Amino acid sequence: MSKNTEQNTEKVQKFEYKAEMKQLLNIIIHSLYTHPEIFLRELISNSSDALNKIRYRALTDKNIIDPESELKISINFDKKSNVLSIEDTGIGMTEDDLINNLGTVARSGTLEFLKGIKDGKESVSEHIIGKFGVGFYSVFMVADEVSVETRYAEKDSKGYLWKSNGEGSYTVEEIDRKERGTKIHFNFKDSAKEFASEDRIKGIVTKYSNFADFPIFLGKEKINTVEALWRKNESEIEEKELNEFYKFITNDYEDPLAHVHLSVESTKANFKALIFIPKSAPYDFMRNQNVKALHLYSNRILIQRDCNDLLPEYLSFVKGVVDTSDLPLNVSREVTQSSNVMSEIRSVLTQKILIMLQRLANKENEKYLHFFKNFGPLFKTGVNHDFSNRDKIIELLRFESSSLKEGEFTSLKEYVSRMKGEQKEIYYISGDSRSIIDRNPNLEYFKKKGIEVLFLIDPIDVLIIPSVPEYDKKPIKSIEKADIDLMPEDKIDKPEDNLSKDLLSLFKSVLKDKVADVVPSKRLVESAVTLVSGKDSMDPQMEKLMKIMNKGMPLPPNVKILEVNTSHPLIGNLSKMYIADSSNPLLEKSILQLFESALLLEGNLPSNADFINRMIDLMKEATK
Ligand code: ADP
């Protein structure tokens, strides 16, 4: 931001917005028109933050302006002059605050996101905008020019007036202001005339800000509830109130998917909590997992917004409030992090949330699946990170499978209940999508036998499942590994004829160190060959993931075992060809082509060109 040296008067300083800020303002003002009414929610939320800050500070510091003044938000609308003002007795802003806080965009990624909306890349559905606070600047949706009068709470502070038309620049000047806090005022612009009435303003406040921590007055009337909903008895809380409260703390437009109301009294910690699970995951969910909107209160007083320490990261989609009487009010972040009370709350809260999810899964499966589809990728990581609750999280995992229709899910428990008598192991296969998995030759045997195989389609699955060696005493195994325990009737080795033995040796001498071994297959039905991993090597999906994580750096080669279906007609033909003329060049070509087809199927073919040239040669022969 650059200070303009050619000022109109001595005292008024003029500042230019940075180019990025100008773009952002332009988008907010001209493209976000779906919900201009949220300007009021944003301003009240800023006032409420400022009031929380002064309340917190006043606990230890009485040397502030107006230490006894009531903590409140006053809204006034003057019909005649068409002026709306919102004033708080919060902490106020210094001159630097005004320049730094009202001149820049706080949230990183804001601009990209808003540009995405403008260019039609992000869909402008109500709830995206709702979740996405546009902050103070949303006021320019309803006003052409905005004034902010403010005075910081310290005794030697001065008053300032900030003014801007939200286009290119703003001004700051010193003013005479006695009271601590901030007052924002403006005229409604013509396109926002619909808001210019007390009834409408009251409606908006109660819709979005009913549960603010401080009283909100419109004229002389107090118009919000100011009650700690979580302190009421469960039976006294109406669903409507719960939903409103949830929307208030999250800015979500949708009702929550589920909630739990807790009142915990133990020797280690006492607390009440109102906890929610949202319906949909935010657009940047897996990139940005900081806990948002899980607030920590001490005896009804907010002591930490967005408190990361209340829950493990894998549950960071959870919203709500936790209120305890066991933490001192003026406790610092570091103290809360290391306190026993805090770790007790965290542990109890985690368990209660897992119980709630399990209950949801038992009683309202559809809702649970909705949750799992939205938050599963993060939630699953708990298997690797929360050892004490690992078993409970494993019960809550869901997978698609070969016995279910696309889009249907099973738990491990349900899988086990469907296992046939002789089946001793739980099987899975991983892949990018159901249709790719369905075509994998390694699935053929299991399909023929009607043995269910779990489909690991979410990329996170291959990081989770290999660390769960068994469930209900049954080993969990990838069907792409060599050591699967086949059904008893298939264990008896077929007497191997010399013919196919010789052919397999030829495979080995052609493929050399490209394969770890070449063996007759027990699992193939329709395909001629397939690749499987040795029992201690990586499965293909894991390998792919490692490649991505290694950012293209070469990995040690993961050499596989080639299984050959000796009853396949093509293999039969090759045997005959081998007997007739063991040096026929078509033999080598066919073997290489078979091997590379298997590589192609698992997405590991090194050179398309070689593969295609060889295919054309073979076609030439076949069409001779
Ligand atoms: P956010 O609230 O997401 O940080 P805003 O654009 O709404 O973004 O506000 C920017 C900053 O301006 C706030 O973080 C706060 O520091 C300051 N601010 C805004 N309104 C007030 C107010 N009423 N009292 C004190 N500070 C305020």
Side-chain angles (χ1 to χ4, degrees), residues 58 62 64-71 89 180:
K62 295 280 172 241
I64 50 174
I65 303 174
D66 312 330
E68 304 303 326
S69 72
E70 187 188 2
L71 299 177
T89 52
R180 173 190 85 206

Side-chain angles (χ1 to χ4, degrees), residues 222-240:
K222 185 172 132 234
I223 54 171
N224 65 332
T225 316
V226 199
E227 77 179 332
L229 194 63
W230 58 91
R231 295 220 161 221
K232 281 171 118 182
N233 283 331
E234 173 92 57
S235 58
E236 291 166 19
I237 308 179
E238 286 172 36
E239 180 157 343
K240 185 165 167 275

Side-chain angles (χ1 to χ4, degrees), residues 46-47 50 88 92-93 101-102 107 135-136 182:
N46 283 345
S47 286
D88 62 66
M93 282 179 271
N101 299 341
L102 295 191
R107 245 169 278 184
F136 170 77
T182 304

Side-chain angles (χ1 to χ4, degrees), residues 1-2 16-27 103-105 111 115 167-168:
M1 170 183 348
S2 62
E16 287 288 321
Y17 287 119
K18 273 200 270 189
E20 180 186 271
M21 189 66 199
K22 281 188 197 169
Q23 271 177 297
L24 183 65
L25 282 169
N26 192 289
I27 297 171
T104 50
V105 202
L111 188 62
K115 271 191 194 148
E167 305 245 298

Side-chain angles (χ1 to χ4, degrees), residues 309-325:
D309 310 317
L310 279 168
L311 282 175
E313 191 171 304
Y314 74 97
L315 293 178
S316 62
F317 50 85
V318 166
K319 316 280 178 192
V321 296
V322 175
D323 187 355
T324 176
S325 45

Side-chain angles (χ1 to χ4, degrees), residues 21 42-51 53 86-88 90-94 97-98 100-107 133-138 148-150 152 181-184:
M21 189 66 199
E42 300 292 331
L43 296 182
I44 289 174
S45 147
N46 283 345
S47 286
S48 190
D49 285 348
L51 286 161
K53 283 184 194 153
I86 295 147
E87 179 161 22
D88 62 66
I91 196 156
M93 282 179 271
T94 63
D97 287 343
L98 274 176
N100 295 330
N101 299 341
L102 295 191
T104 50
V105 202
R107 245 169 278 184
V134 284
F136 170 77
Y137 286 95
S138 57
V148 180
E149 291 172 31
T150 187
Y152 191 60
T182 304
K183 177 178 180 177
I184 293 168

